[in-house]
Amino acid sequence: MATIKIDGKQFEVDDTDNLLKVALSKGFDLPYFCWHPELHSVGACRQCAVKQYKNEDDTEGQIVMACMTPASDGGCFSIADQEASDFRAQVIEWLMINHPHDCPVCEEGGECHLQDMTLMTGHTRRRYRGPKRTHRNQDLGPFINHEMNRCIACYRCVRYYRDYADGDDLRVLGSHSNVYFGREADGAFNSEFSGNLVEVCPTGVFTDKTLGAHYNRKWDMQNAPGICTHCSLGCNTSPGSRQGILKRIQNRYHGEINHYFLCDRGRFGAGFVNREDRPRQPLVRADNGVLEPQDMDVILSSLKSVLAEAKGLVGIGSPRASLEDNFALRHLVGANNFYNGMSGPESHASLAALALLQEHAGRLPTLRDVESCDAVFVLGEDVTQFAPRLALSLRQAVRNEHHVLAEAANIPKWHARAVRDEGQHFYSPLFMAVPAATRLDDVATELFHLRPARIAELGFAVAAMLDDTAPMPANIDDETRAHAETIATALRKAKKPLVVAGTSLGSEAVLTAAGNVMRALESVHDDAGLFVTLNEANSLGMAMMSDRDVDHAFEAITSRRADTLVVMQNDLYERAQHGKVDAAIKAAKNLIVLDHSMTATIAKADYVLPAGSFAEADGTLVNNEGRAQRFFQVFIPEAPLQEGWRWCADLNSAIGKPVDWLGMDDLIDAIEAACPQFVGIKSAAPSTSFRKAGMRFPRSPHRYSGRTALYANVDVREKRPEVDVDSALSYSMEGYHGTDQPPALMAYAWTPGWDSNQAAITRFQDEVGGHLKGGDPGTRLLKVDPNVPEYAPAEPKLVQGWQAIPRYHIFGSESQSAKAPAIQERMPRAWFTLNEAGAKALGLAAADTLRLTIDGEIHALPVTIDPSLPDKTIGVPVGAHGLMGVRLPAAVSP
């Protein structure tokens, strides 16, 4: 710790930080451009100038850059000094020489870091009247718009894209006053994290193209605290809407999960909410076989008769729906008739993941913790495609060796260029045992391309090398033994080793092997971590709610134990063989579907009830670390569209089974009472009755305008805002807004003088880049198991013949984002993949069609060659761009 003075005020600070971070953390307004809490300092823009004095007797001092100045003990600084202020004003004037005066039409207007900094320095008048430098803009694909003329050459974009995200197709071209930040040719960015340029860029060079399609100003949007629904990691988002249209997804800072960055699927995958083909009215199958709209009262009356006459109900939940929606369906059909909505392999893998997480509940790192791990062993997961945000964290983890070397050379961690120069090409070890090449291969120490059983075998061998009491697989070959010893040695030497596994392969053996590795590490390490990824946003929550999958549900229908099937936000054709789904639907007397998207299941339904998406509903999701987090409505949908749990409440009432939960608070109480495993979800966010200074918390910024004009075509009188009966949020700009508001209710980041999202958030953190004031949102549900489990037998079942394995893609494998128009433009073509030997053995060449029998069903796709695949292994594309409902891995007959 160090004691310093800033403008006469004394502070106790961390002496490993730089002055800019300290000043911002202490609430000072100090302008900056090139610095970012995650990118650290390079001193490129010269905007954060302050006066530094030798001691209290020094009256002259000298100008220094705050981002490049350590907060050393005894330091004496002035931000308000006139000479420093004049210097900052001069710098901003230089930077603005070539910047166009286009704020009224710039999509960044109103949330622009550059606007904030010009006002902060007092630069409100342009003196330069000469010609400005101009550039040609590029077409950067469906996600990002490019307006190079607004660039101030702060270098943030390339530092994030190349140095942080390891992208290779954004470059600095040109020199001196004619630099150009772009690609060598038009085209979409290669990186899966390119969308963060929208928020990293302090001007309007890179903007959200999906927002531009239906643009409005930040201050005229309504926002809400959201949770990304496109994978299991639970990244926090801030969806923005206007007039019932979802406009964009913005990052919502969470100090333990996503902090400043999202993946492109999470940022641009919500377009399905605005699709015209969504079910927005109740639908009933008419006599002519066509689904026709029906009034709400009429369909509830019809369903009253249907449910009353039913011989039994089967409820199929969904791992993409909230706990509230699933529990409401469970209450409607009865706990014994409720099923988790996952396929057999996915359910088994999710249950195995749950057991593994419960065994090591005290050693589950957050995404932020992952970045500080100095040796990582990945078993089976192509994390970039399956749980993308984890890949970005692993890219930071491999750089920990840079910090070790820098510390030895007395280089502060915030000195970005010096740390990279010292680290050069030395990286912390990352070992990856995966079925084929991944996007993380460029930073991996060693790669092992193996089938799932062989991945498990390697994992078991590593555990045995770490602890000789752990079982070693039988008949293990010398090569595998050598690889296992290398991995075990690196994990043993590490200060903070990490094991990564998951459910993407549907292999319980891989998860069991990861468990053995973790138990062995615990015997030699106090700080080992286990990170487990699951398939969908609420897969862990559903595994905690029910251990029965869709196969059990189908069996209940086809065996005539029940004749009415109720499906909550799920497409059964994604979960099982199409023939098996068809048979179950045919056996059911009635199929009732509650969903927010058109699906193949809805196409077969007798009754369809339009349920709210994440933008139109409140709910709780449980992420991969067992953290329950709450999301809230961005806008109230037009009736009769409503939350899935409200439909279930209506159906309960219709059949004379009244519920005592008519609001979110009551429903959450009911969940905790009926399901003890979810005790704690109530504290994931404040209750509906919570107030600050007697006020709710606004969804809209304080400058929200046009509320009267917005509805002038309907009524010239001002429309009274709706009252939110399910949360402490308001549907207006009225309410309490301060830096001490509960983080779980923070719909957007704004504070006086700081309009840009990633700059304003500094005022809501305990320190810049740290945790949110009041604690990061969410409640951990998993408790530490005091019983030390024994090692599992090292007996993976090897497949000798041909085997099909799943291949995921960030754009297309997740069903909801695959419905977003922007994502659809980036979805790859569906291929079966083989290595050269496999293609030759089957007499195939690239682009030939392969007919593959998987689980008794024939599928045909063209072939592409992937030399990284193991022999006799066929990669099968999963999701909307490939095959749905197939059970993988599986022995196959090509």
Side-chain angles (χ1 to χ4, degrees):
M1 297 297 291
T3 301
I4 66 171
K5 283 188 176 181
I6 302 177
D7 287 333
K9 296 181 180 179
Q10 186 168 296
F11 300 97
E12 293 289 328
V13 301
D14 187 342
D15 59 2
T16 64
D17 287 336
N18 63 54
L19 180 62
L20 177 57
K21 179 180 177 181
V22 166
L24 294 174
S25 297
K26 298 303 180 184
F28 288 93
D29 288 340
L30 180 59
Y32 64 91
F33 285 114
C34 66
W35 182 82
H36 186 281
E38 293 298 318
L39 308 181
H40 300 304
S41 307
V42 291
C45 70
R46 322 305 289 171
Q47 186 61 71
C48 61
V50 298
K51 182 68 73 70
Q52 180 179 23
Y53 301 95
K54 296 178 181 178
N55 50 51
E56 294 184 357
D57 298 327
D58 182 5
T59 58
E60 294 293 325
Q62 62 178 349
I63 298 277
V64 298
M65 299 306 118
C67 71
M68 300 298 290
T69 303
S72 302
D73 191 43
C76 189
F77 307 95
S78 175
I79 295 173
D81 177 82
Q82 189 60 48
E83 188 177 3
S85 296
D86 292 345
F87 186 97
R88 295 194 296 267
Q90 190 175 36
V91 169
I92 197 71
E93 188 170 29
W94 292 338
L95 291 175
M96 296 295 287
I97 288 290
N98 287 298
H99 190 83
H101 196 185
D102 65 345
C103 297
V105 297
C106 177
E107 293 180 7
E108 195 77 2
E111 53 183 339
C112 176
H113 188 80
L114 178 61
Q115 287 179 327
D116 290 345
M117 300 302 102
T118 53
L119 291 175
M120 195 175 293
T121 57
H123 178 64
T124 57
R125 183 174 65 89
R126 300 277 180 102
R127 293 190 297 169
Y128 178 70
R129 293 292 182 267
K132 292 179 181 288
R133 174 203 61 219
T134 58
H135 294 288
R136 182 184 73 84
N137 301 320
Q138 292 186 306
D139 181 354
L140 298 177
F143 296 160
I144 297 176
N145 192 57
H146 189 226
E147 180 50 79
M148 185 56 205
N149 292 323
R150 297 172 183 152
C151 182
I152 60 170
C154 71
Y155 287 80
R156 258 200 194 188
C157 59
V158 290
R159 290 178 55 224
Y160 160 75
Y161 194 85
R162 300 182 68 86
D163 297 348
Y164 190 90
D166 291 329
D168 61 0
D169 59 326
L170 173 62
R171 300 179 182 277
V172 186
L173 308 170
S175 61
H176 191 47
S177 61
N178 196 36
V179 293
Y180 187 90
F181 296 85
R183 304 179 81 247
E184 293 181 351
D186 286 8
F189 283 118
N190 293 335
S191 173
E192 296 81 3
F193 311 102
S194 63
N196 293 307
L197 292 170
V198 172
E199 293 188 59
V200 167
C201 176
T203 71
V205 177
F206 300 102
T207 54
D208 185 340
K209 186 177 282 189
T210 64
L211 171 62
H214 41 218
Y215 179 72
N216 58 254
R217 293 298 189 189
K218 169 187 178 178
W219 59 79
D220 281 336
M221 272 193 274
Q222 191 164 263
N223 304 272
I227 305 297
C228 181
T229 60
H230 302 311
C231 82
S232 66
L233 300 184
C235 294
N236 284 212
T237 62
S238 179
S241 73
R242 185 165 172 82
Q243 291 185 283
I245 298 174
L246 185 65
K247 298 290 187 175
R248 70 172 177 188
I249 297 294
Q250 199 172 35
N251 184 75
R252 180 165 66 106
Y253 186 89
H254 192 291
E256 294 187 328
I257 305 179
N258 48 295
H259 41 289
Y260 293 95
F261 305 126
L262 298 173
C263 74
D264 285 356
R265 184 166 73 192
R267 188 178 292 274
F268 302 111
F272 70 92
V273 173
N274 297 329
R275 287 183 68 103
E276 292 295 329
D277 61 355
R278 280 186 58 189
R280 298 179 185 274
Q281 297 286 331
L283 304 173
V284 177
R285 181 80 56 188
D287 293 338
N288 61 4
V290 177
L291 285 171
E292 296 182 349
Q294 187 66 272
D295 289 338
M296 185 173 183
D297 292 341
V298 176
I299 197 170
L300 286 176
S301 178
S302 299
L303 288 173
K304 177 180 179 180
S305 300
V306 167
L307 297 177
E309 296 171 5
K311 294 180 180 178
L313 301 180
V314 168
I316 298 181
S318 173
R320 70 170 184 246
S322 67
L323 290 180
E324 289 78 3
D325 286 349
N326 280 295
F327 177 80
L329 175 60
R330 178 181 181 269
H331 186 276
L332 174 67
V333 302
N336 293 330
N337 302 314
F338 177 79
Y339 302 85
N340 63 28
M342 294 186 274
S343 67
E346 181 188 352
S347 180
H348 296 155
S350 297
L351 291 167
L354 172 60
L356 189 58
L357 290 166
Q358 288 173 327
E359 290 172 6
H360 304 282
R363 294 179 178 270
L364 305 180
T366 64
L367 273 179
R368 173 59 70 89
D369 292 333
V370 166
E371 297 179 3
S372 61
C373 293
D374 56 351
V376 182
F377 182 27
V378 178
L379 289 98
E381 297 303 282
D382 184 351
V383 295
T384 309
Q385 312 298 347
F386 190 67
R389 186 58 184 77
L390 172 59
L392 192 59
S393 291
L394 290 177
R395 288 186 178 278
Q396 312 323 307
V398 299
R399 297 194 178 99
N400 279 309
E401 185 65 20
H402 292 187
H403 298 294
V404 172
L405 295 171
E407 185 178 5
N410 292 320
I411 297 172
K413 61 183 179 182
W414 48 261
H415 201 314
R417 187 74 264 169
V419 170
R420 290 185 69 86
D421 287 345
E422 185 68 21
Q424 294 292 322
H425 301 294
F426 297 97
Y427 295 97
S428 298
L430 169 62
F431 301 97
M432 297 183 59
V434 289
T438 77
R439 297 278 288 168
L440 270 179
D441 290 3
D442 59 313
V443 294
T445 306
E446 279 197 71
L447 296 165
F448 312 100
H449 293 151
L450 306 166
R451 289 186 176 194
R454 291 293 184 187
I455 293 171
E457 183 180 61
L458 177 61
F460 285 127
V462 170
M465 292 292 183
L466 286 166
D467 182 357
D468 56 14
T469 66
M472 178 70 77
N475 304 317
I476 187 171
D477 59 66
D478 292 339
E479 184 180 12
T480 303
R481 187 182 293 272
H483 290 324
E485 187 170 1
T486 300
I487 298 169
T489 299
L491 295 175
R492 186 182 290 108
K493 288 182 178 179
K495 293 180 179 179
K496 193 175 180 180
L498 176 69
V499 178
V500 176
T503 62
S504 67
L505 293 179
S507 172
E508 295 177 62
V510 171
L511 289 163
T512 302
N516 273 19
V517 176
M518 192 60 201
R519 292 179 196 109
L521 271 177
E522 287 174 335
S523 68
V524 296
H525 256 291
D526 293 328
D527 205 11
L530 173 69
F531 199 96
V532 178
T533 62
L534 292 94
N535 288 53
E536 297 185 66
N538 208 16
S539 290
L540 190 63
M542 291 312 298
M544 296 171 70
M545 187 174 285
S546 173
D547 61 357
R548 293 177 298 171
D549 55 52
V550 294
D551 288 339
H552 294 96
F554 294 157
E555 196 276 330
I557 289 289
T558 56
S559 67
R560 309 297 182 181
R561 296 202 308 270
D563 66 353
T564 298
L565 184 57
V566 187
V567 179
M568 173 68 74
Q569 298 178 36
N570 207 336
D571 186 359
L572 302 181
Y573 288 93
E574 296 176 13
R575 309 296 178 181
Q577 297 168 298
H578 291 193
K580 184 174 287 189
V581 179
D582 287 338
I585 292 175
K586 184 177 180 180
K589 182 179 178 181
N590 291 289
L591 172 59
I592 304 167
V593 179
L594 300 83
D595 211 337
H596 49 67
S597 298
M598 290 301 294
T599 65
T601 303
I602 284 182
K604 299 290 184 71
D606 299 298
Y607 301 90
V608 178
L609 301 177
S613 67
F614 75 91
E616 301 141 338
D618 303 336
T620 306
L621 300 173
V622 182
N623 79 344
N624 68 300
E625 54 175 317
R627 185 192 299 266
Q629 298 186 100
R630 193 77 42 79
F631 63 90
F632 297 93
Q633 280 182 326
V634 190
F635 57 89
I636 300 176
E638 291 187 15
L641 193 153
Q642 62 181 357
E643 299 97 320
W645 65 266
R646 288 195 191 279
W647 279 116
C648 290
D650 290 340
L651 294 176
N652 274 290
S653 298
I655 62 175
K657 188 181 178 181
V659 297
D660 55 3
W661 32 268
L662 301 177
M664 278 291 290
D665 286 353
D666 294 335
L667 179 55
I668 290 170
D669 287 339
I671 295 173
E672 290 194 343
C675 305
Q677 65 271 34
F678 294 122
V679 170
I681 64 171
K682 189 172 184 177
S683 59
S687 68
T688 303
S689 60
F690 182 83
R691 301 289 185 272
K692 188 80 172 180
M695 294 184 285
R696 289 176 177 264
F697 301 89
R699 279 180 167 88
S700 301
H702 74 293
R703 294 176 298 182
Y704 186 80
S705 62
R707 191 164 70 194
T708 304
L710 195 61
Y711 303 99
N713 62 317
V714 179
D715 193 330
V716 295
R717 291 169 296 184
E718 183 172 347
K719 182 180 178 181
R720 183 175 182 176
E722 298 278 357
V723 176
D724 191 345
V725 298
D726 290 322
S727 81
L729 296 164
S730 65
Y731 287 105
S732 69
M733 61 184 175
E734 286 85 11
Y736 178 87
H737 185 89
T739 58
D740 58 344
Q741 67 184 99
L745 297 178
M746 192 170 71
Y748 57 89
W750 178 88
T751 192
W754 299 87
D755 292 296
S756 65
N757 183 41
Q758 297 204 359
I761 197 63
T762 62
R763 294 297 188 256
F764 297 87
Q765 298 167 329
D766 53 11
E767 65 172 356
V768 173
H771 299 282
L772 291 172
K773 295 177 180 177
D776 296 304
T779 302
R780 290 277 191 113
L781 300 180
L782 303 180
K783 308 302 180 185
V784 177
D785 188 347
N787 299 316
V788 179
E790 297 180 357
Y791 286 110
E795 300 171 356
K797 185 178 179 180
L798 302 178
V799 177
Q800 301 302 324
W802 287 92
Q803 185 177 26
I805 61 167
R807 299 296 301 273
Y808 295 86
H809 197 280
I810 183 175
F811 305 129
S813 289
E814 194 277 321
S815 62
Q816 295 307 294
S817 61
K819 294 179 174 67
I823 295 291
Q824 289 178 334
E825 290 189 44
R826 296 292 306 275
M827 283 165 55
R829 184 178 177 183
W831 304 86
F832 285 136
T833 50
L834 296 155
N835 65 16
E836 293 178 2
K840 185 176 180 180
L842 297 176
L844 296 170
D848 286 351
T849 298
L850 171 63
R851 293 173 63 83
L852 189 63
T853 302
I854 306 176
D855 243 6
E857 293 189 343
I858 298 175
H859 304 271
L861 287 176
V863 166
T864 188
I865 306 301
D866 182 349
S868 68
L869 278 166
D871 290 337
K872 288 191 174 183
T873 303
I874 302 173
V876 175
V878 173
H881 71 295
L883 305 184
M884 297 189 296
V886 296
R887 295 168 174 272
L888 301 170
V892 293
S893 303

